Amino acid sequence: MVATRAQTGDSPRKTPYPGYVETPTRRFPSATPDSQQTGAEPTKPFATDHQVSTRKKNTVRSPGAEGSPNGPLAKPTSALKSPGEPRKKTKRRYTRANEIVCRLCQNPDSRIGNKIVFCDGCDSPWHQQCHDPPIPEDVIAIEESEWFCAECIAKNRGPSVGSAEHMEFGGSFGVSLMMIGFPLLMYYMWIGATFYDGHFPWPAKSQRFLEFLKHLVLLAYEGAFPTLKAWVIYWTFFGFEALCYLFLPGIWTKGKPLPHKGGRRLDYYCSGPWSFYTTIVVAATLHVTGIFKLYTVLDEFGPLMSVAILSGIIVSFVAYFSALYRGVQHRMTGRPIYDFFMGAELNPRIFGALDLKMFSEVRLPCQKNRFRQEERGTLIERRTFPQLPWQTVKNPKKIKTKTGDSILADGWYGYARKIHYTADLYFALAWALITGFQSPLPWFYPVFFAIMISHRALRDIRKCEAKYGEAWEEYKRQVPYLFIPQQQQMTGPVSRFARQIAGHGYIVAAPSSYHEFVGPEPLAYDAPGTDAGNVYKIQKACVLGLIPGGFFSPLHSRQKLAAYDEDAALAVSTLRDLPTCNGCIGATGMCLERKKPGGHLAFRCALDPLVAAAVCYFATDIHSHSLGEGKRDDSLDRAGEVRGELLMIHGKLDGHVPPEGRDLIRRTLHEKGVCFSFYEVAGAQHAFIRDELSKGRYDPFISKICFDMLLELFSRTLKSDLGPRAGSESEAENVC
C-alpha cells in the first residue's frame, strides 16, 4: 500500500490562528519514520481484530517534538482504552485542519455532502462519496449511529450479539433444546387437548413408558400428518397476506440507521391497516358463501400445526444458507447451531421488497415508536384504528442520553418501563381466562409468555444500562416500575409537598384521584388539564386533601356532595387504624389551577370532629358554593362544625378567590366561632407555592414561610399532647 502524506509525516504545517486553541481530535493510526528508525513495531494502517475494540481517539500532534515537521504522534493516556472498555461515540465531522486524508482519494478535504467519516471497526477514514456504497447523510446527522466500512463488514468486524463470554439462551446447548423441545411440546399439548380431554397425556397404569411414547407418535401421525390440504390452506393464507403487504394502500417510512449497511436507513412500506381490514372482509365473505368455513381451521388444526412447524424450519434453513451463499451474514460466532438459531442475515428481504421480519413479527406502533419517529422527523399521522391520535404524546418528558438520543419518560412509558409487555401479558391472561380452569393447557401460553418477557426485559435492561449509563439510572429513578405501575395522579409539586411533610415525621397517605375518568397520569398544568379538572370536580365528588399531609380520593364514582364527607371519614378511619398512628389527624390540600380543589376539600375534612387541624392553601369555591353536583355546596354554611384549628392561606392577587370572597370566608369563620388564622400574602397570586410550570408565580421564600406555618400548627396540634384548647371563651382585655 502506498503511504500517504499523513503517514510519512510530510504533511504541511497548519496555519496558526492567534487566539484560537485547536480541539484535540482522533487521528488515523499510521506508521511513521520515527517508529521505524527507533526499531519500534510499526503501527499498522488498519486495526487488527484485537485493535477493533481498542480505539485510539483524541490523539494530537505535539508541536516542536522530534521527528516529522509537526512532531510525532502524542497519544494521551486517556485516549488509550483497554480491550474490555466500551467505546465512546464522537461526532464524526472532520475538516481540513485535522490533516486526515481519505483512504481512497488521499484528499483531506471534508465538505458538506462529502465529509470524512471514520469506520467504527478499523478507524480508517473515508469520504462519503469515495466509499462503495456511499456513506449516507444519516451517519453524519445522527450522532449515535455507527458505521462500518465494506472491508470490516466482510471481515465481520461489526457488532456481535454472541461471544464466548456471554451467549444468549444458554449457547448452542440451550438453543438446541429449544429448537427440538418446542415442536415436541406443541405436539404433546395438541394430543392432550384432542385425545385426553384437555389434560396432560400420561401413561396408563399397565402401560410401559416406551409403549406410551409409541402411542403418542401414532396419535400425532394419524391426527397431525401434514396433508396436502393443510399445505394449501397455510401457504394460500400467507401468499394472500404477502400480496396485501405489497399492493394494498399504505405509506413509506424509514427505519433507523443500520451499522452493517453503512448507516443506511431502509425503506419500509406500511400497509397494515388495509391488510387488517381486507383480511377480515375476505375471511367473512369466504365463510358466509361457504367457500371456506372458518371452523375448518379448527378441524384441520393438527395438520396445520405440522405444516406451520415444517414451514418455519424450511424458511429458517433457506434464510440461513442463502445468507452464507450471498456473503451477507453478520454477528456470526463460529458456532453453527447457535448462529442458525440467532440468524445470519439482518433485515432479510425477498427480492428487496418483502421484509421478512416486518412481515412476520412487526407489531402496531406504540407511543415509543411514534416518539422515535417524531424525533427523527418521520412521523406520519394515520387516523385509523388502531393508530389513533392520542398515541402520540405532545411535548413529552424525555431524558437526554450520552449517545445523543432520548429516553421517553412520559405517556404510558411514564408509568412503567415495559408497559407494552404488560398489555401483551394482559391479553395472554384474558385468552386463558375465557377457557376457565378445567384444563391446564390454555394456561401454558401466559406462563410461558411471562417467563419469556421477563428474560427479554432483563436482556434489554443490560443493553440499556451499557448504552445509556447515567441517563438510564435517571430513567429508573423517574419510572421505578418495570411492568405494573403504581397508580398515582400526583404532579411533581404535590408529590414533593407530600414528601416534605413526611420528612418531618408524619404519616402521609397519597392515593390517586379522578381514576374514574382518566388513567394514572396526572392532569397537565395547561388549559385542557384545567378544563378537565373543573369538569371532574363537579361530576365526581373527588377529594384531594392531606390526612395528615397526605391525599385521598373517593372509593366510588358518585356525584353527590356527601361523597366528599364519606370519603374523608373513610380516609380518617384508615389512618387511625394504622399501628403507627397516634390518633391525631390533620388535613391539608392546595388548589392548583382549580383542576383539583384540594384547599376546599381540606376545609371539608375539618368538618370531621376527629380532624384536629387543617391547612387550606388557596381554597377555591368556598365563597361561591360551587363545588360538586349542581354547584351548591354547603361548606361555608357548616363552618360552625369545625372543632379543630384552621389555617387559611391566600394570595392577595388571587383571581380565583377575589377580595370580597376572602372577606366573606373570614367574616363567616368569625361569626361561627371557629379557631382559625387567616394569612394573605401581599403580591402573591393563585398557586404561588407551585414550583413547576408556575407561569412566574412561584415564590420559594413565601412558600417556605407558609410551610413553616403548617409545621407549627401540625406540631402543636398533632405531635404535642397539650390537651383541649383553653381560654377560647374568655374576653380579651384591651389594656396597655
Side-chain angles (χ1 to χ4, degrees):
M1 173 181 221
V2 178
T4 66
R5 293 183 301 169
Q7 293 169 344
T8 59
D10 295 331
S11 299
R13 291 181 180 273
K14 302 175 186 176
T15 303
Y17 294 95
Y20 288 85
V21 178
E22 178 186 2
T23 302
T25 57
R26 176 176 62 183
R27 291 186 176 273
F28 178 59
S30 60
T32 65
D34 300 297
S35 64
Q36 297 171 5
Q37 291 171 2
T38 58
E41 183 179 355
T43 305
K44 295 181 181 180
F46 305 105
T48 64
D49 288 342
H50 174 70
Q51 291 170 327
V52 168
S53 61
T54 59
R55 299 164 61 101
K56 302 172 180 62
K57 295 190 176 182
N58 299 331
T59 60
V60 297
R61 206 176 281 276
S62 302
E66 296 180 357
S68 64
N70 288 338
L73 284 177
K75 298 176 177 140
T77 305
S78 60
L80 301 178
K81 299 192 286 286
S82 62
E85 184 178 350
R87 298 179 298 180
K88 295 184 178 179
K89 296 294 296 174
T90 60
K91 199 71 172 179
R92 294 186 293 270
R93 298 181 180 177
Y94 302 94
T95 63
R96 188 183 188 92
N98 297 125
E99 294 186 359
I100 297 170
V101 297
C102 171
R103 176 177 171 183
L104 181 66
C105 69
Q106 309 299 313
N107 194 315
D109 289 341
S110 184
R111 302 173 181 176
I112 295 177
N114 198 29
K115 290 184 178 293
I116 289 180
V117 180
F118 276 90
C119 171
D120 281 297
C122 65
D123 271 342
S124 56
W126 288 87
H127 274 128
Q128 289 179 259
Q129 304 305 323
C130 290
H131 187 268
D132 184 21
I135 304 170
E137 282 294 326
D138 295 330
V139 176
I140 306 297
I142 302 176
E143 186 173 352
E144 70 270 19
S145 62
E146 290 185 324
W147 176 77
F148 296 90
C149 67
E151 182 178 338
C152 283
I153 292 176
K155 293 181 179 179
N156 290 315
R157 285 179 177 170
S160 64
V161 297
S163 63
E165 291 77 18
H166 179 73
M167 303 286 285
E168 299 287 355
F169 307 108
S172 300
F173 178 75
V175 300
S176 298
L177 288 180
M178 287 193 287
M179 288 189 289
I180 296 172
F182 281 138
L184 295 179
L185 180 62
M186 294 302 101
Y187 282 110
Y188 179 77
M189 291 196 298
W190 173 79
I191 292 173
T194 306
F195 300 102
Y196 285 79
D197 197 24
H199 297 285
F200 291 122
W202 201 252
K205 292 183 179 180
S206 58
Q207 191 177 28
R208 291 181 298 177
F209 186 73
L210 186 59
E211 293 178 350
F212 171 69
L213 291 181
K214 292 181 180 179
H215 176 62
L216 294 183
V217 172
L218 181 62
L219 292 177
Y221 177 80
E222 293 178 348
F225 186 83
T227 62
L228 178 61
K229 180 180 180 180
W231 283 100
V232 171
I233 293 173
Y234 186 88
W235 282 103
T236 298
F237 171 74
F238 271 92
F240 171 77
E241 292 300 328
L243 294 175
C244 291
Y245 173 101
L246 294 172
F247 298 111
L248 287 180
I251 61 172
W252 284 97
T253 186
K254 285 186 174 293
K256 61 184 181 180
L258 300 175
H260 68 284
K261 290 187 177 292
R264 186 161 65 94
R265 297 168 66 185
L266 298 179
D267 293 319
Y268 288 91
Y269 185 65
C270 305
S271 56
W274 271 94
S275 300
F276 176 70
Y277 293 121
T278 301
T279 301
I280 292 176
V281 171
V282 171
T285 302
L286 293 175
H287 179 78
V288 171
T289 58
I291 298 176
F292 183 83
K293 293 292 186 179
L294 293 180
Y295 51 73
T296 305
V297 175
L298 297 178
D299 296 339
E300 301 291 331
F301 189 87
L304 285 173
M305 180 184 67
S306 297
V307 170
I309 293 173
L310 292 174
S311 297
I313 295 173
I314 293 172
V315 170
S316 298
F317 272 99
V318 171
Y320 180 75
F321 288 104
S322 171
L324 297 182
Y325 176 77
R326 291 178 288 122
V328 293
Q329 67 272 22
H330 299 279
R331 313 183 305 180
M332 308 297 282
T333 64
R335 297 168 176 81
I337 296 177
Y338 182 82
D339 291 337
F340 173 76
F341 180 84
M342 299 299 292
E345 183 180 3
L346 302 179
N347 307 96
R349 295 189 167 195
I350 298 178
F351 305 117
L354 184 65
D355 189 285
L356 293 180
K357 288 180 67 175
M358 181 175 178
F359 178 70
S360 304
E361 300 180 6
V362 75
R363 301 182 181 186
L364 297 168
C366 59
Q367 281 184 345
K368 185 178 292 185
N369 299 123
R370 296 170 78 90
F371 168 71
R372 294 290 182 213
Q373 293 172 354
E374 200 166 35
E375 272 201 321
R376 296 173 180 140
T378 60
L379 177 63
I380 301 176
E381 294 286 350
R382 306 179 71 185
R383 297 183 177 274
T384 177
F385 178 82
Q387 299 186 39
L388 300 169
W390 53 79
Q391 283 186 310
T392 303
V393 183
K394 303 299 182 182
N395 301 316
K397 183 170 64 173
K398 54 189 178 181
I399 301 171
K400 296 296 293 183
T401 71
K402 62 182 180 181
T403 62
D405 55 0
S406 303
I407 301 174
L408 178 63
D410 208 342
W412 286 107
Y413 291 90
Y415 311 133
R417 302 191 299 275
K418 295 294 181 183
I419 194 71
H420 52 288
Y421 289 166
T422 306
D424 290 338
L425 184 58
Y426 169 81
F427 287 124
L429 289 172
W431 295 333
L433 284 169
I434 61 176
T435 67
F437 299 94
Q438 294 182 350
S439 172
L441 298 181
W443 290 93
F444 167 79
Y445 178 68
V447 172
F448 164 79
F449 188 79
I451 297 172
M452 185 269 293
I453 61 172
S454 298
H455 175 258
R456 179 180 292 180
L458 292 176
R459 293 171 62 200
D460 292 345
I461 289 172
R462 284 199 303 266
K463 294 177 182 178
C464 290
E465 286 176 343
K467 181 178 181 180
Y468 298 125
E470 294 180 359
W472 185 256
E473 294 301 319
E474 173 62 19
Y475 182 42
K476 290 198 295 183
R477 188 193 68 79
Q478 293 189 21
V479 187
Y481 307 105
L482 186 60
F483 296 125
I484 302 176
Q486 175 182 338
Q487 186 184 32
Q488 63 179 47
Q489 292 171 326
M490 288 194 297
T491 57
V494 174
S495 177
R496 289 186 288 273
F497 182 63
R499 287 198 295 267
Q500 275 186 299
I501 297 174
H504 287 270
Y506 295 96
I507 303 170
V508 179
S512 62
S513 58
Y514 296 158
H515 52 83
E516 288 86 350
F517 302 100
V518 295
E521 70 278 5
L523 295 176
Y525 288 127
D526 54 18
T530 300
D531 294 339
N534 287 333
V535 172
Y536 297 155
K537 72 179 182 182
I538 295 172
Q539 291 183 345
K540 172 187 180 287
C542 179
V543 175
L544 181 60
L546 280 169
I547 303 287
F551 298 84
F552 57 94
S553 60
L555 303 179
H556 308 285
S557 177
R558 295 156 300 184
Q559 297 181 349
K560 300 296 184 182
L561 188 60
Y564 291 114
D565 307 322
E566 180 183 353
D567 292 327
L570 290 172
V572 170
S573 175
T574 300
L575 288 168
R576 287 172 62 88
D577 288 342
L578 294 176
T580 53
C581 180
N582 65 359
C584 298
I585 304 296
T588 186
M590 63 193 74
C591 298
L592 302 180
E593 285 294 353
R594 300 187 66 187
K595 59 182 185 154
K596 292 181 179 178
H600 190 155
L601 298 176
F603 183 91
R604 289 195 68 87
C605 290
L607 300 177
D608 190 326
L610 294 176
V611 175
V615 180
C616 309
Y617 286 86
F618 349 107
T620 57
D621 303 321
I622 293 179
H623 67 287
S624 59
H625 305 276
S626 55
L627 179 66
E629 186 184 27
K631 296 186 177 183
R632 293 190 297 271
D633 71 76
D634 58 353
S635 301
L636 197 57
D637 297 335
R638 295 177 56 191
E641 301 177 22
V642 176
R643 294 292 178 265
E645 185 172 342
L646 286 179
L647 171 58
M648 309 294 293
I649 299 175
H650 290 278
K652 280 201 170 184
L653 301 182
D654 190 340
H656 298 298
V657 187
E660 57 272 18
R662 298 194 295 272
D663 291 340
L664 175 62
I665 296 172
R666 181 169 46 242
R667 184 172 61 252
T668 303
L669 293 177
H670 272 299
E671 294 173 353
K672 298 288 187 178
V674 178
C675 179
F676 74 99
S677 299
F678 206 97
Y679 183 42
E680 294 181 274
V681 182
Q685 301 183 50
H686 185 74
F688 61 81
I689 70 170
R690 193 176 83 198
D691 60 354
E692 180 180 303
L693 301 175
S694 66
K695 304 176 184 177
R697 295 174 295 184
Y698 174 56
D699 190 322
F701 186 76
I702 298 299
S703 298
K704 181 181 183 303
I705 292 176
C706 294
F707 188 74
D708 288 341
M709 296 170 65
L710 176 146
L711 292 179
E712 186 280 328
L713 175 60
F714 281 0
S715 177
R716 178 163 44 83
T717 58
L718 305 184
K719 283 188 175 181
S720 303
D721 187 11
L722 302 178
R725 187 171 59 251
S728 59
E729 298 178 357
S730 61
E731 296 183 2
E733 297 182 4
N734 298 317
V735 178
C736 295

